[in-house]
Amino acid sequence: MCDPVSIAIAVGSSVAQYAGQRKQARAQARYQAQAAAAERQRFLQEQTSLRMRQAQEQEAVGRELEQVSRKSQAALARARVSAGEAGVAGASVQALMDDYMRQEAGYRSALARQQELGAVGTGMQLEQAGFATQQRQIGINQPINRPNPLAIALQGIQTGMSMHRTGLDIKRMTTPSSTPTTPTVQ
């Protein structure tokens, strides 16, 4: 028969162990939820920052294009006036006008290409940020060790049985033997 004290200690130990593991699992789940939410917020801020930078770059290119257009129109007007005052007309004036327009078109093309490359770069940065966030989320959301009531109960039973066996061993060592010992003859 099992010792009631051993059983009580084993049951109490198992219940305490289960409660502790359950509390720890809940705390880990709360931590993971908070960390995942913080990572989502960080990612959204990074996306916003990248998009704002892209918009600022596009705005700057737009202003630069506007300036180029004004300067080109002013240069063309000056060239017409100068040619008119000098009494020059014809193919040479048209060649000068075409050269100004070619330079403006080349500059506009370079700015448009710069804008395209900037958009591609921003897209790649956003994609990289998405991958990085995905990896962080995987790191945050690791499996949580949940308590297993059956395993804890079996461990409690094993502990109780071990305590009972130890108690029996101690009792046997402290109880005098009932068999008489006979002296040995030499």
Side-chain angles (χ1 to χ4, degrees):
M1 187 153 236
C2 288
D3 177 20
V5 174
S6 298
I7 293 172
I9 290 173
V11 168
S13 173
S14 296
V15 169
Q17 183 180 7
Y18 178 78
Q21 287 179 358
R22 189 169 172 204
K23 184 177 179 181
Q24 185 178 9
R26 285 180 177 169
Q28 187 176 357
R30 279 193 307 274
Y31 165 77
Q32 285 181 348
Q34 290 171 347
E39 176 55 28
R40 283 190 299 276
Q41 183 63 35
R42 188 210 60 77
F43 176 63
L44 291 174
Q45 288 175 340
E46 184 177 2
Q47 277 187 317
T48 300
S49 175
L50 288 169
R51 293 287 185 199
M52 286 178 66
R53 192 192 80 231
Q54 182 183 30
Q56 290 168 347
E57 288 171 358
Q58 287 177 344
E59 189 177 320
V61 168
R63 281 193 306 268
E64 194 168 346
L65 284 171
E66 193 177 306
Q67 275 185 328
V68 165
S69 182
R70 275 186 274 144
K71 286 180 181 179
S72 179
Q73 293 299 319
L76 286 171
R78 278 193 310 275
R80 277 191 199 109
V81 169
S82 293
E85 288 175 353
V88 179
S92 62
V93 173
Q94 188 58 46
L96 180 63
M97 300 291 177
D98 289 346
D99 186 50
Y100 280 137
M101 293 178 80
R102 181 191 57 75
Q103 287 178 22
E104 179 186 356
Y107 193 70
R108 283 181 175 276
S109 176
L111 284 176
R113 181 67 180 148
Q114 179 183 344
Q115 212 169 17
E116 287 174 15
L117 291 175
V120 168
T122 299
M124 290 174 72
Q125 287 175 329
L126 287 167
E127 188 175 353
Q128 179 60 34
F131 289 145
T133 291
Q134 186 178 28
Q135 290 302 311
R136 286 185 193 107
Q137 290 288 8
I138 289 170
I140 289 169
N141 293 311
Q142 292 296 311
I144 297 172
N145 290 329
R146 307 259 184 221
N148 182 341
L150 179 60
I152 291 173
L154 289 174
Q155 186 178 2
I157 291 170
Q158 183 181 9
T159 301
M161 299 286 286
S162 175
M163 289 174 67
H164 179 68
R165 190 174 322 118
T166 302
L168 289 176
D169 289 345
I170 291 171
K171 190 174 187 181
R172 226 182 339 198
M173 291 193 305
T174 58
T175 308
S177 179
S178 60
T179 58
T181 57
T182 55
T184 55
V185 180
Q186 295 184 346

